[in-house]
Amino acid sequence: MSKPSVRETIAAARAKMAQEQAKSKTIRGGQEDEREAFIGSGKPGVKKSPPVARRQTEVEMLGHVQKSIKSLIANAKGTGIMNISSRELTAVPIEIWNMYQVDPDKIVVDMSSSGGGWYDAVDLTCFIASDNKITQIEPRIQEFGALASVDFRVNELTTLPEEFAELKRLVTLNLSTNKFVEIPQVLFRVTTLVDLQLANNQISGRLNPAIGALSKLESLDLTNNQLTELPQELSNLKSIRKLKLSKNKLTQLPASILAEMPKVNELDISDNQLGCLFSGLGDLANGLVLPALARLDARNSGMVRITDIDGIDDASKPKIEFKSLKDLLLSQNDLSSLEHLTSGLPQLFFLDLRGNKFTTIPTGILELSTLRTLDMTSNNMEYVPSELSNMHDLTSFVWDGNPVKNVPRTCNTTEALMKLLRRRLETDEPSSGVDPASMQALSVSGPESSGAAASRPGAETRARTPSKAPAPEPIVEAPKKTVQNLDLCKKGLEDVTKEEILEACSDPQTAALDFNSLTRFPATLQEAVGATLTKISIHHNKIQEFPFQLSFPLLLSLNLSDNVITTLGTLEADAAGDIGRDNYPNLNELILTGNRLTQLPAWMPLTFPKLKILSVSRNKLTSIEPKALEGLITADLSGNEISTLPPLLGNVRSIKQLNVDGNTFRVPRRQVIDQGTEALMEYLRGRIPA
């Protein structure tokens, strides 16, 4: 049999290539493939079934893995960086542990080579193995003695080998989102550490006092664990700049610990169970002075007081002085006073007091000349003092959800409010302390009604001829109507009837049903008092679905944190718009922290047209749809499983505060995130394809 000619060989190769391309197109699918399938079938309207893609054999898959590992090792030997992240690995491949081993019998020295020999390899300084399923780190980690950075976040580690202490140059260690129930003892011997990340683990009880041995730490993140107590040895971290302790079960924040941290710049103690912000302040002769602190976050921490000092006036208490503090977040607590805290905040820009129990603007706030944003949403404030208009740098004051009586409803912007208060100051018009009947008239008629008495027919005549005026009738003051709050917390409720609600309270502005056993959002809440509610809190229950079908026309704040909501469902655009118009037209704040959400739908802005604050931390979000966040000012996405920040998120320019800590993405790097929201958004916009 004769051999095929060159021409025949080329033709056969082209035919085989065409077949492979046809298979590839069929697997991909699309309009072109449908047309080809129609033509190939020979029958109108009948498509030929695409061939089933051949699965790779185990030998082939192993070959690809080995080839990939070889490529990674070659790159690591040239750059000093090994990156095996996001590969579904259950262990670090043996080839990586052996990457620097050399067989003496096979050594060949070729001085004419341009590189790539064993003698050209650089030491490994960075080891990234995040987003895998690795259960243990081999003792051979000590062989990489030059390591300065190790990232094993999002794995299934429960312990570390003793040999970890041999990493004498280790500076950065990220073990977030693993399964540690305690901090491995060996870490306390790695005294070179500067940055230690242990967020999203299961570390419980009292923080190990040995943490004090890591005196070079500048950043410590223990977010979302089960810590209950901080040891005094934590004060040995005198170089600490960022201390994150949010989402734990801490009941105290000892002032004696903080007093020894002069360089701390950011302190996050939110989502804990503190009774007061600073305990033991009375034991500090020189008070609490933190000259570098720029941001303090103590939201949703069960606080009723700032200090635990009793029996003396605020002026006599040890001083609290944070001269560099810019942002102070104290929302969702039970505070009714700031005590003397504001006296030591000369550079404060942003103050968040949402969801507390203030009946007036706290003492000292009017003296904060640098304050630009003050949020008093959902408190018990009845009067806005005219002196507020003297704060010339204040550009945003939010007072929604308060029973304010001296501001007309038509006055709904900071600029309009300032003009009204300034006019009252100029005319010596009272802003508080007047009888309720007069204040009611003011709130209905607006500021212009202050001169109504002078313009009534006959009023001027009586003023000119007082001798002929009839004796004034005795003034009967209208009884002051107390704002009622519906409180059914900790009642063990599995359901609640309309009768029970009406018996407990009538026409309330706020409703709290926290710490019960509700499995559904109570529809009876709408039926009984839905027309008057401005704030609803039903956290720590077992609610499974969001109540889109219910209507709360005045609702400003809704807290459904720590329930078991898994999805917000599926809605068409028209249906979402109807809900926004009819059911939640004024919702400003939505808290869904600690649920089981996996995604945020793009139609959220239609459903909640006035939403400005969204907290979905501690859920199971894996991705972000930028359209879902349009219109927001504050978005908390921390503590999720977000693997990528989409560049288009940078185009949501309404967002001024974005928290993405505790997620699994690797880009952008921590250096970008630490620069703040503005820098992060600018970075994302720079990655949008042209």
Side-chain angles (χ1 to χ4, degrees):
M1 185 175 180
S2 61
K3 294 183 179 180
S5 65
V6 175
R7 183 174 299 176
E8 291 173 340
T9 302
I10 295 174
R14 287 177 175 173
K16 185 176 181 180
M17 184 181 297
Q19 289 178 353
E20 293 296 330
Q21 290 176 346
K23 287 182 180 180
S24 176
K25 287 183 178 180
T26 306
I27 292 172
R28 287 197 303 269
Q31 294 181 351
E32 182 180 351
D33 301 325
E34 291 181 5
R35 179 177 61 81
E36 291 179 355
F38 168 75
I39 294 172
S41 67
K43 298 179 181 179
V46 178
K47 294 194 295 183
K48 180 184 267 186
S49 299
V52 178
R54 183 178 68 85
R55 297 184 60 182
Q56 288 183 315
T57 66
E58 293 184 1
V59 174
E60 287 176 323
M61 288 190 289
L62 180 61
H64 285 306
V65 171
Q66 290 176 337
K67 183 178 180 181
S68 176
I69 291 176
K70 288 181 179 179
S71 175
L72 289 172
I73 290 174
N75 182 70
K77 287 182 176 181
T79 64
I81 301 173
M82 171 60 73
N83 189 341
I84 56 172
S85 59
S86 304
R87 293 174 179 268
E88 298 291 322
L89 298 173
T90 57
V92 176
I94 187 65
E95 291 86 352
I96 291 178
W97 298 124
N98 294 334
M99 62 184 284
Y100 286 115
Q101 286 191 349
V102 178
D103 187 347
D105 296 330
K106 296 182 179 180
I107 292 179
V108 176
V109 179
D110 182 5
M111 303 306 295
S112 64
S113 173
S114 60
W118 59 270
Y119 42 81
D120 290 320
V122 300
D123 288 335
L124 196 66
T125 58
C126 180
F127 195 171
I128 304 171
S130 59
D131 196 17
N132 284 292
K133 297 179 180 179
I134 298 172
T135 57
Q136 66 176 359
I137 297 177
E138 296 292 333
R140 294 184 63 183
I141 188 76
Q142 66 178 323
E143 297 177 18
F144 301 145
L147 279 175
S149 176
V150 172
D151 185 352
F152 270 76
R153 58 181 161 174
V154 195
N155 277 286
E156 299 180 8
L157 298 173
T158 58
T159 186
L160 295 177
E162 287 298 309
E163 290 76 6
F164 215 85
E166 299 303 317
L167 302 180
K168 303 298 185 182
R169 301 182 184 180
L170 191 62
V171 174
T172 300
L173 177 60
N174 193 336
L175 297 173
S176 298
T177 317
N178 276 278
K179 296 184 178 180
F180 294 103
V181 296
E182 63 179 3
I183 301 178
Q185 288 286 341
V186 66
L187 283 186
F188 303 129
R189 305 198 329 253
V190 188
T191 56
T192 54
L193 280 174
V194 172
D195 186 351
L196 177 58
Q197 310 290 322
L198 285 165
N200 304 311
N201 278 283
Q202 302 163 25
I203 303 170
S204 60
R206 185 171 186 249
L207 179 62
N208 195 323
I211 192 72
L214 304 179
S215 59
K216 293 184 179 180
L217 275 184
E218 295 183 8
S219 178
L220 175 60
D221 189 352
L222 291 165
T223 299
N224 197 20
N225 280 283
Q226 305 292 321
L227 295 172
T228 58
E229 185 181 351
L230 300 177
Q232 186 61 36
E233 288 79 359
L234 191 63
S235 63
N236 292 341
L237 308 186
K238 300 185 186 302
S239 298
I240 200 75
R241 298 180 184 275
K242 293 185 180 181
L243 182 58
K244 297 185 178 182
L245 301 167
S246 65
K247 300 179 180 67
N248 279 281
K249 296 182 178 180
L250 297 172
T251 57
Q252 286 187 334
L253 178 61
S256 58
I257 293 178
L258 295 177
E260 301 296 325
M261 297 178 170
K263 296 182 180 180
V264 66
N265 175 266
E266 180 179 340
L267 175 60
D268 188 350
I269 195 72
S270 60
D271 291 288
N272 276 282
Q273 302 170 10
L274 307 176
C276 67
L277 181 53
F278 304 118
S279 62
L281 181 67
D283 299 330
L284 301 179
N286 297 321
L288 181 58
V289 179
L290 299 176
L293 187 63
R295 177 181 174 85
L296 173 56
D297 188 348
R299 292 172 291 178
N300 193 33
S301 287
M303 297 186 303
V304 296
R305 307 173 63 182
I306 298 299
T307 72
D308 55 0
I309 302 175
D310 293 315
I312 61 175
D313 60 90
D314 291 340
S316 302
K317 294 177 180 178
K319 67 179 178 180
I320 300 176
E321 185 175 281
F322 306 150
K323 288 188 175 182
S324 300
L325 193 67
K326 301 293 191 299
D327 301 330
L328 178 57
L329 294 85
L330 300 174
S331 62
Q332 304 303 325
N333 285 289
D334 292 316
L335 296 170
S336 57
S337 168
L338 292 182
E339 301 177 30
H340 64 309
L341 177 62
T342 56
S343 62
L345 311 177
Q347 295 190 39
L348 193 65
F349 287 170
F350 182 92
L351 179 56
D352 181 4
L353 298 176
R354 292 173 293 123
N356 280 282
K357 295 183 177 180
F358 293 103
T359 57
T360 185
I361 293 181
T363 302
I365 286 184
L366 298 179
E367 311 302 322
L368 299 175
S369 59
T370 60
L371 195 64
R372 298 177 183 176
T373 299
L374 174 59
D375 195 338
M376 295 284 296
T377 301
S378 300
N379 278 275
N380 299 325
M381 186 170 57
E382 296 187 358
Y383 301 101
V384 179
S386 299
E387 291 76 12
L388 186 70
S389 62
N390 290 330
M391 302 183 70
H392 301 294
D393 287 344
L394 190 66
T395 57
S396 176
F397 174 61
V398 188
W399 68 96
D400 295 338
N402 283 278
V404 174
K405 297 180 179 180
N406 69 333
V407 177
R409 292 183 179 179
T410 54
C411 182
N412 52 20
T413 67
T414 301
E415 183 179 3
L417 175 66
M418 289 302 197
K419 289 182 179 179
L420 170 62
L421 298 180
R422 206 168 287 125
R423 184 161 59 243
R424 288 178 179 171
L425 270 183
E426 294 170 354
T427 58
D428 295 325
E429 187 178 317
S431 62
S432 64
V434 299
D435 66 274
S438 301
M439 199 55 66
Q440 172 112 14
L442 177 61
S443 65
V444 172
S445 303
E448 293 78 6
S449 63
S450 60
S455 62
R456 287 196 301 268
E460 189 176 344
T461 303
R462 286 197 298 272
R464 288 196 301 265
T465 57
S467 60
K468 295 183 180 180
E473 297 181 4
I475 298 176
V476 180
E477 290 190 0
K480 185 175 181 178
K481 183 178 179 181
T482 304
V483 176
Q484 300 185 72
N485 297 324
L486 176 63
D487 188 353
L488 293 174
C489 297
K490 300 181 180 180
K491 303 290 185 182
L493 299 174
E494 296 182 358
D495 200 0
V496 59
T497 66
K498 181 178 179 180
E499 291 71 22
E500 288 174 325
I501 294 174
L502 293 175
E503 182 180 352
C505 187
S506 61
D507 298 331
Q509 287 192 334
T510 67
L513 291 88
D514 309 322
F515 296 100
N516 283 295
S517 300
L518 299 171
T519 57
R520 294 179 301 173
F521 191 101
T524 50
L525 201 59
Q526 174 201 304
E527 298 170 8
V529 292
T532 62
L533 289 176
T534 61
K535 178 180 180 181
I536 297 175
S537 180
I538 315 184
H539 63 73
H540 286 89
N541 278 271
K542 300 176 182 179
I543 295 173
Q544 301 175 12
E545 296 181 354
F546 190 90
F548 285 112
Q549 74 280 9
L550 303 181
S551 176
F552 297 96
L554 300 182
L555 192 64
L556 299 171
S557 175
L558 177 58
N559 186 345
L560 290 175
S561 61
D562 294 288
N563 280 280
V564 290
I565 302 172
T566 58
T567 179
L568 294 180
T570 303
L571 293 176
E572 298 294 334
D574 292 342
D578 291 342
I579 290 174
R581 182 181 64 252
D582 301 331
N583 295 0
Y584 297 94
N586 292 300
L587 191 66
N588 178 268
E589 177 184 50
L590 178 58
I591 303 174
L592 294 172
T593 298
N595 279 277
R596 301 175 184 177
L597 296 172
T598 57
Q599 62 178 350
L600 297 177
W603 41 257
M604 281 190 67
L606 297 175
T607 311
F608 310 115
K610 291 189 178 181
L611 192 65
K612 301 300 179 186
I613 301 167
L614 175 65
S615 177
V616 286
S617 63
R618 292 191 290 119
N619 277 272
K620 295 184 178 181
L621 300 176
T622 57
S623 61
I624 290 299
E625 169 54 63
K627 291 182 179 179
L629 306 183
E630 290 181 353
L632 294 179
I633 294 177
T634 299
D636 187 352
L637 308 175
S638 60
N640 281 281
E641 301 171 11
I642 301 170
S643 58
T644 304
L645 288 185
L648 289 177
L649 180 60
N651 281 341
V652 186
R653 297 180 181 269
S654 62
I655 294 180
K656 304 302 179 186
Q657 184 175 347
L658 178 64
N659 187 352
V660 292
D661 289 336
N663 282 283
T664 61
F665 59 82
R666 298 181 301 279
V667 177
R669 296 183 180 275
R670 170 59 56 181
Q671 293 91 327
V672 176
I673 297 174
D674 287 346
Q675 293 177 36
T677 300
E678 185 176 348
L680 173 59
M681 301 298 267
E682 183 177 351
Y683 172 88
L684 292 174
R685 285 194 292 271
R687 293 175 65 88
I688 297 176

